[in-house]
Structure formats: structure tokens, C-alpha cells
């Protein structure tokens, strides 16, 4: 992409309404624009990151054996009357009436709809187990939308739903999602800690929130610090094998959100130097709720003995749009964002220090085409702005690598590579710089 053609409305001033770094940086770097309280337009730079996050979430769901589909945002109120949640959900639900006076709502979650779809087609134990998911916009009329995309009213969620014949098999689905989440968040450059959590309006008796630690997080959490540095299981884990040991290894250590916190257990079980009480951002939440919805909505399958019984279910959410705020909270400095390579909107920023100079233009063009062909998604700053403005903007948008090309360096055949995360600079021949960036040699 050439910056002269792109749409990157960078703000000079720090917007006064933004209280946390990720919100400030997303506004300043022209990633989002607020259209109403808690409702955002995703500008091109932000949209690119959102798509990358979404894709990683998708790949790890697929790897764990979940199957993607897409359900609508609008739902019939009657569906929610079947489960008994229509009245109980309260003011957070955005209720809509269509031209035929039919009561509808903008979905805050999809347990009812997926249960309705499942029961329409699946009648036998032979159809199970199944995990279905979609990545779709949700609406919750939060009383206090704040911190930008962290607590929005309209937000993008991945929600998966599992269907099993019994509790033991449902537990395996829960474990699959548990492990998939650890791998997902690690790929996004995050250390997410699974914590025992309250089930709230989703219901059920087993639930974990996945929390990334950040001072600006909305949740208060308590955990054994050893959990924070425990790595993810890794992409080679066998999802058909026994995942229980991987889950047990993590759930054996104390970790709880404030609703589930037991101060006495915490101080007696966790060695004093590992007692971590901190704030965190909830980026995922998984629930096992057995037959809560299947019983209410009559979603049954015939078992081998010919008896029909309600299916055992769980639901598994990831806050896809919230993750973008979470990633920035974890990866930024005074100058701007520092994207992990896996979600960076572009891979390399090429700065032409003198657009209009034939030699500089030709060198930038050469680098641009080579990086583009190598799949590195370059962003070429070919604007007429001053060098200082270009450096500041490139730091602000936080691409992992910068390739700086100007007439002075070119006289000696040189260009500069800057690593955004460390500030490290390498002076190289233009050819070497291009070749090494194409190879990913600085990763
Ligand atoms: N049906 C279940 C799981 S699929 C469910 O809705 N779970 S949830 O309520 O915990 O939401 C799942 C995830 O969505 C949360 O972990 C959080 O990361 C994200 N989320 C929830 N509310 C918001 C919000 N207002 N703004 C941004 N993200 C949100």
C-alpha cells in the first residue's frame, strides 16, 4: 500500500475523552472513529488489524475441531422467551420492533439461536459431538461504554457452542476450547491467564475467564504468578488426545476473578512471593452449562437405548474487537503502538525521506515491489511530508520494521532498518536491507 492512496487520518492532538493508552492510540493512529457512544467505525488501519486478529482466532478454532458458520445479528424475541431469558436480560438488550410489529432484538449472544438450529437437524447421538462457532457483531447496551473498543456497545465476538451426549464428553469440548484459547492468545502476543469465574447471565456451573494483566483492566483478579509465565501448550497439541493434563496443570494453581475470590484459600495455597493481585482485561470467557438451554428449548437426541435426552452444552466467547485494545495495552510505548508481527496492519513501513527525488523514489519502489512480492505487506510513505513527521507517524502506527531510504544514504548505497520494538537500527546496503526484510531475518 502506498500511503498517498491510503486513508490514514492521524490526529496530532491526544483526544481528551480517551483515558487509557489503547483508546488514545487507536484514535490518534486513525484506526477507529466513534459514531455513537460505544459504537465505532473501523477505519482502514484498524480494520486490517481486526481482520488479522479474527483470522488467528478462526485458525485456532478450526484446529480445535470447531466448525464455522454465520448467524444473523437480529433475532426474534420469541426465541428468547423459550429459554426464559427475554425478560431477565434487562436493559442491556437492544429491543427492536419491525414493520409487522414483531418483537426482535440485536443479539447480545447466541445460545438460543444455535440451540434452535441444532434441534432442527440433529436427532441422534450419532450427530454428536459438535462444536459450531461464528464471528459476528453483538450488541449490549452497556450502561457505561468506555475505554474505546474495550467496553463497546457494538462489538465483535467469536462465540462457539458445543453439543454432547453427556457431561464427560462435554467436558472434553470445554478442554478443547480451553487449550485453543491459550494458543490463540499466545499467537496474538498475549499472556492470558485462565481464572475461575462467575457465570452471570449465561448461567451454568463451570466457567473460566481468560485474563490479560494490565493496570487499566476492568477486572480485579488474584492468582499464582507462576501461571502468568506458563507458556501455551503449542500448536502441535493433539486435540483428539487427552487434554485434561494440560488443563489440570493450569487449573491446579490458584486464579480467580474477584467474584470467585476466596482470600483464605489464596493466602494459604499460594506461596507469599507468588501471590499476585492485579487488574486485568477479560479477553475470553468459556462456560459449561449442561442442559440449561437444551432442556428449556427441547433440544434432545436419541441415545443408543432409544431414549431421547437433552444435549449437554457449553459456550465459548472471545472478544475479538476488545482484543485489539488488549494487544495495544500490552504492546506500546510513548511514541505509539508496537504491533506483534502476527497482527501488524502492515509488515514493513518504507519511509522515503525525499519523495520526488528520482533516486530515492526508484530505490523505494524497488524495495516496495520486492517486499510486496515476498508477502511482507509493505506500507510505503511516499508523501511529501517532512522526515520528522514521517518518523513520528510510522512510530505511532507501530509497524514492526521500518526501512528508511533517503538521498544521503543512497549516495553510499545505504539504507537503514529500524526495529520498532527495541529501537535498534541497522545500516545496510539497500540490497541487503531488502533481502533480509524479505527473509524475515530481523524477526
Ligand atoms: N455466550 C457467551 C460465550 S460465547 C458470552 O457471551 N460470553 S461473554 O459475555 O463473556 O462475552 C464473551 C467475550 O466478549 C468476553 O470475554 C469479552 O472479551 C467480550 N465482551 C463482552 N462484552 C463486551 C463489550 N461490551 N465490549 C467488548 N467486548 C466485550
Amino acid at each position: 500500500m502506498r500511503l498517498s492512496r491510503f486513508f490514514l487520518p492521524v490526529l496530532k492532538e491526544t483526544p481528551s475523552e480517551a483515558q487509557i493508552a489503547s483508546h488514545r492510540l487507536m484514535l490518534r493512529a486513525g484506526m477507529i472513529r466513534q459514531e455513537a457512544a460505544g459504537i465505532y467505525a473501523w477505519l482502514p488501519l484498524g480494520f486490517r488489524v481486526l481482520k488479522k486478529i479474527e483470522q488467528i482466532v478462526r485458525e485456532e478454532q478450526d484446529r480445535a475441531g470447531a466448525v464455522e458458520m454465520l448467524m444473523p445479528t437480529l433475532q426474534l424475541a420469541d426465541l428468547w422467551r423459550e429459554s426464559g431469558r427475554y425478560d431477565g436480560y434487562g436493559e442491556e438488550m437492544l429491543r427492536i420492533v419491525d414493520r409487522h410489529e414483531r418483537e426482535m432484538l440485536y443479539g447480545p449472544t447466541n445460545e438460543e439461536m444455535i440451540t434452535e438450529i441444532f434441534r432442527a437437524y440433529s436427532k441422534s447421538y450419532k450427530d454428536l459431538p459438535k462444536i459450531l462457532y461464528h464471528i459476528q457483531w453483538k450488541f449490549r447496551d452497556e450502561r457505561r461504554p468506555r475505554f474505546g473498543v474495550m467496553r463497546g456497545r457494538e462489538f465483535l465476538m467469536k462465540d462457539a457452542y458445543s453439543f454432547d451426549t453427556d457431561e464427560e464428553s462435554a467436558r472434553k469440548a470445554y478442554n478443547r476450547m480451553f487449550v485453543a484459547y491459550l494458543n490463540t492468545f499466545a499467537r496474538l502476543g498475549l499472556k492470558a491467564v485462565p481464572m475461575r469465574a462467575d457465570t452471570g447471565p449465561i448461567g451454568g456451573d463451570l466457567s473460566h475467564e481468560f485474563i490479560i494483566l494490565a493496570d487499566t483492566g476492568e477486572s480485579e483478579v488474584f492468582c499464582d504468578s507462576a501461571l502468568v509465565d506458563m507458556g501455551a501448550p503449542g500448536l502441535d497439541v493433539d486435540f483428539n488426545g487427552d487434554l485434561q493434563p494440560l488443563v489440570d496443570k493450569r487449573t491446579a494453581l490458584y486464579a480467580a476473578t474477584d467474584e470467585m475470590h476466596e482470600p483464605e484459600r489464596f493466602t494459604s495455597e499460594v506461596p507469599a512471593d507468588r501471590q499476585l493481585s492485579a487488574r486485568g482485561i477479560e479477553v475470553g470467557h468459556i462456560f459449561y452449562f449442561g442442559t440449561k438451554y437444551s432442556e428449556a428449548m427441547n433440544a434432545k437426541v436419541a441415545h443408543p437405548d432409544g431414549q431421547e435426552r437433552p444435549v449437554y452444552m457449553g459456550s465459548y466467547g472471545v472478544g475479538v474487537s476488545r482484543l485489539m485494545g488488549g494487544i495495544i495495552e500490552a504492546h506500546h510505548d510513548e511514541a505509539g503502538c508496537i504491533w506483534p508481527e502476527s497482527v501488524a496492519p502492515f509488515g514493513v513501513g518504507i519511509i522515503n525521506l525525499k519523495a520526488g527525488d528520482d533516486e530515492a523514489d526508484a530505490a523505494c519502489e524497488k524495495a516496495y515491489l520486492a517486499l510486496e512480492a515476498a508477502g511482507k505487506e509493505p506500507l510505503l510513505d511516499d508523501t511529501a511530508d517532512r522526515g520528522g513527521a514521517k518518523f513520528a507517524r510510522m512510530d505511532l502506527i507501530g509497524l514492526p520494521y521500518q526501512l528508511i531510504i533517503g538521498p544521503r544514504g543512497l549516495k553510499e548505497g545505504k539504507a537503514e532498518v529500524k526495529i520498532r520494538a527495541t529501537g535498534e537500527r541497522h545500516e545496510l546496503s539497500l540490497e541487503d536491507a531488502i533481502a533480509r526484510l524479505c527473509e524475515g531475518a530481523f524477526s
Side-chain angles (χ1 to χ4, degrees):
M1 180 60 66
R2 291 160 208 275
L3 190 53
S4 57
R5 290 190 198 148
F6 198 53
F7 183 70
L8 184 67
V10 162
L11 304 180
K12 288 212 177 61
E13 307 297 322
T14 297
S16 58
E17 76 270 25
Q19 298 163 25
I20 63 172
S22 57
H23 189 195
R24 274 198 295 276
L25 289 172
M26 287 177 80
L27 292 170
R28 277 194 55 214
M31 303 179 77
I32 53 168
R33 178 169 177 79
Q34 184 174 311
E35 292 299 330
I39 300 179
Y40 292 87
W42 294 80
L43 304 180
L45 191 76
F47 189 54
R48 288 181 76 97
V49 179
L50 188 69
K51 289 278 157 196
K52 295 217 166 159
I53 297 172
E54 183 185 323
Q55 184 57 23
I56 289 176
V57 171
R58 172 177 292 118
E59 286 170 15
E60 295 314 316
Q61 288 294 293
D62 294 350
R63 199 191 307 277
V67 183
E68 189 172 14
M69 60 184 293
L70 184 60
M71 290 177 268
T73 51
L74 296 186
Q75 308 186 19
L76 284 172
D78 280 344
L79 197 53
W80 284 63
R81 292 201 171 95
E82 283 194 48
S83 71
R85 277 207 297 184
Y86 187 65
D87 295 324
Y89 215 92
E91 305 230 298
E92 265 197 19
M93 180 181 276
L94 180 64
R95 295 159 209 252
I96 302 162
V97 179
D98 75 6
R99 67 196 298 165
H100 306 293
E101 304 279 308
R102 250 191 303 260
E103 290 172 275
M104 306 195 72
L105 57 103
Y106 191 138
T109 175
N110 283 64
E111 279 81 5
E112 285 77 0
M113 191 178 280
I114 197 77
T115 306
E116 184 280 320
I117 292 170
F118 177 86
R119 78 177 174 201
Y121 301 108
S122 299
K123 306 288 180 201
S124 158
Y125 72 95
K126 292 179 195 152
D127 299 327
L128 299 178
K130 283 276 176 304
I131 306 178
L132 300 172
Y133 78 97
H134 74 162
I135 300 174
Q136 176 63 294
W137 294 92
K138 304 289 186 290
F139 197 95
R140 293 181 185 174
D141 204 352
E142 302 273 353
R143 183 192 297 274
R144 283 192 67 199
R146 57 181 186 155
F147 300 154
V149 300
M150 289 285 197
R151 180 165 297 280
R153 291 199 296 165
E154 190 184 43
F155 59 97
L156 189 60
M157 190 201 286
K158 182 288 297 179
D159 37 327
Y161 302 88
S162 62
F163 301 90
D164 287 274
T165 45
D166 55 42
E167 190 168 343
E168 192 190 328
S169 162
R171 180 67 210 220
K172 288 185 182 150
Y174 190 90
N175 289 350
R176 276 177 189 245
M177 288 295 121
F178 191 107
V179 170
Y181 276 31
L182 294 169
N183 283 341
T184 303
F185 299 128
R187 282 188 68 191
L188 295 169
L190 298 172
K191 286 182 185 172
V193 184
M195 307 212 180
R196 281 302 301 273
D198 188 28
T199 56
I202 307 291
D205 46 26
L206 175 62
S207 162
H208 285 91
E209 282 180 14
F210 288 74
I211 305 261
I212 54 172
L213 302 181
D215 294 340
T216 50
E218 289 189 290
S219 315
E220 200 180 355
V221 297
F222 303 85
C223 75
D224 185 328
S225 62
L227 262 175
V228 181
D229 292 311
M230 197 179 283
L235 304 186
D236 54 356
V237 42
D238 175 11
F239 278 98
N240 295 316
D242 183 10
L243 301 174
Q244 197 65 48
L246 290 173
V247 174
D248 288 347
K249 190 172 160 204
R250 288 159 177 90
T251 52
L253 295 179
Y254 189 95
T257 59
D258 57 352
E259 299 92 1
M260 300 296 281
H261 183 46
E262 299 166 72
E264 273 153 38
R265 257 194 66 205
F266 183 55
T267 43
S268 63
E269 277 179 25
V270 185
D273 60 336
R274 298 202 327 231
Q275 288 171 12
L276 181 65
S277 69
R279 301 199 69 80
I281 302 166
E282 178 203 323
V283 287
H285 197 164
I286 62 178
F287 303 82
Y288 167 69
F289 43 70
T291 57
K292 173 176 169 176
Y293 296 90
S294 56
E295 231 164 298
M297 295 182 66
N298 207 26
K300 292 181 176 162
V301 294
H303 282 236
D305 61 5
Q307 287 284 313
E308 285 192 342
R309 297 191 190 90
V311 290
Y312 287 75
M313 294 174 58
S315 75
Y316 314 90
V318 169
V320 177
S321 48
R322 174 180 287 183
L323 270 168
M324 192 144 135
I327 295 170
I328 299 178
E329 289 297 325
H331 301 279
H332 72 275
D333 64 12
E334 285 297 299
C337 307
I338 306 176
W339 293 112
E341 282 190 51
S342 58
V343 294
F346 297 96
V348 180
I350 307 171
I351 297 180
N352 184 344
L353 286 176
K354 197 152 192 201
D357 174 282
D358 287 346
E359 231 188 310
D361 288 354
C364 287
E365 194 63 23
K366 181 174 160 185
Y368 179 75
L369 293 176
L371 287 163
E372 182 89 346
K376 296 290 167 189
E377 299 180 288
L379 175 69
L380 168 59
D381 187 343
D382 56 349
T383 65
D385 297 337
R386 285 178 308 104
K390 292 189 175 189
F391 291 138
R393 179 168 52 212
M394 205 55 96
D395 280 351
L396 174 64
I397 68 172
L399 310 184
Y401 306 104
Q402 299 173 11
L403 174 58
I404 302 156
I405 298 176
R408 214 175 301 160
L410 284 176
K411 285 217 167 64
E412 298 159 32
K414 295 250 155 78
E416 193 176 41
V417 173
K418 175 176 159 183
I419 320 282
R420 175 66 181 85
T422 59
E424 227 174 291
R425 290 165 184 277
H426 301 268
E427 211 187 31
L428 300 163
S429 74
L430 178 65
E431 284 68 30
D432 275 357
I434 296 173
R436 295 188 59 185
L437 284 167
C438 285
E439 284 163 14
F442 298 101
S443 307

